[in-house]
Amino acid sequence: MNDARAADRPAAIALPDFLRMMEAQHPFAALLGIRIEAIGHGTARAVLPENPAHQRLGGIVAGPMLMALADVALYAAVVGATGDSQAVTASLTINFLRKCPAGEVVAEARLLKTGRLCAGDVLLAPRGGEPVAQAVSTWAVPPARRPAA
């Protein structure tokens, strides 16, 4: 998916509708405090708030917290492009670039391909800081359901 094309298309779901769906279907994101700040057609921005429970020894944000943030951000990008809340992660690879200092972490996700399989990436960084991780993910989107005849 070309970024210019995506910018011209509205999200398949409005942010308030996406937030209600997340609350009903994916309560784990709320347990971590992950907030979706923006959703577009194949793009999303999610935030992991500062929380001492997200840290590991040494006062850095733990890798599993960053992985969860990346997964939720990419999910939002997939639903924003396809409108399908039943999409599931098929793979997720994360590259940790440097220690993530304690504090709020922002994830900027974008899809590179949309279809039955969606592929995208996400950069994670402290707000206003340099990237601390980059994730690449593939998502499976179930085939469209046909009404019973």
Side-chain angles (χ1 to χ4, degrees):
M1 173 198 305
N2 177 315
D3 284 337
R5 263 191 14 219
D8 294 340
R9 298 178 69 182
I13 187 171
L15 182 58
D17 296 332
F18 180 81
L19 296 175
R20 281 190 292 278
M21 183 272 305
M22 285 294 289
E23 185 179 332
Q25 296 181 21
H26 305 287
F28 79 91
L31 287 174
L32 296 178
I34 295 173
R35 297 185 319 270
I36 304 298
E37 288 188 343
I39 189 168
H41 186 85
T43 63
R45 181 175 48 257
V47 177
L48 180 71
E50 181 171 10
N51 184 335
H54 296 160
Q55 297 173 22
R56 56 164 290 182
L57 293 175
I60 61 175
V61 178
M65 299 300 111
L66 297 176
M67 292 175 77
L69 176 61
D71 195 55
V72 170
L74 282 161
Y75 176 71
V78 169
V79 176
T82 67
D84 195 328
S85 66
Q86 300 301 309
V88 295
T89 310
S91 70
L92 184 121
T93 301
I94 191 163
N95 300 301
F96 297 104
L97 308 172
R98 58 184 57 83
K99 294 177 185 176
C100 184
E104 194 174 61
V105 183
V106 179
E108 294 284 348
R110 67 183 176 140
L111 291 185
L112 304 171
K113 177 196 176 291
T114 305
R116 276 267 295 123
L117 286 178
C118 294
D121 65 2
V122 60
L123 283 178
L124 293 89
R127 193 172 294 277
E130 292 295 312
V132 295
Q134 180 249 358
V136 177
S137 186
T138 303
W139 287 73
V141 180
R145 296 187 183 126
R146 297 184 186 174

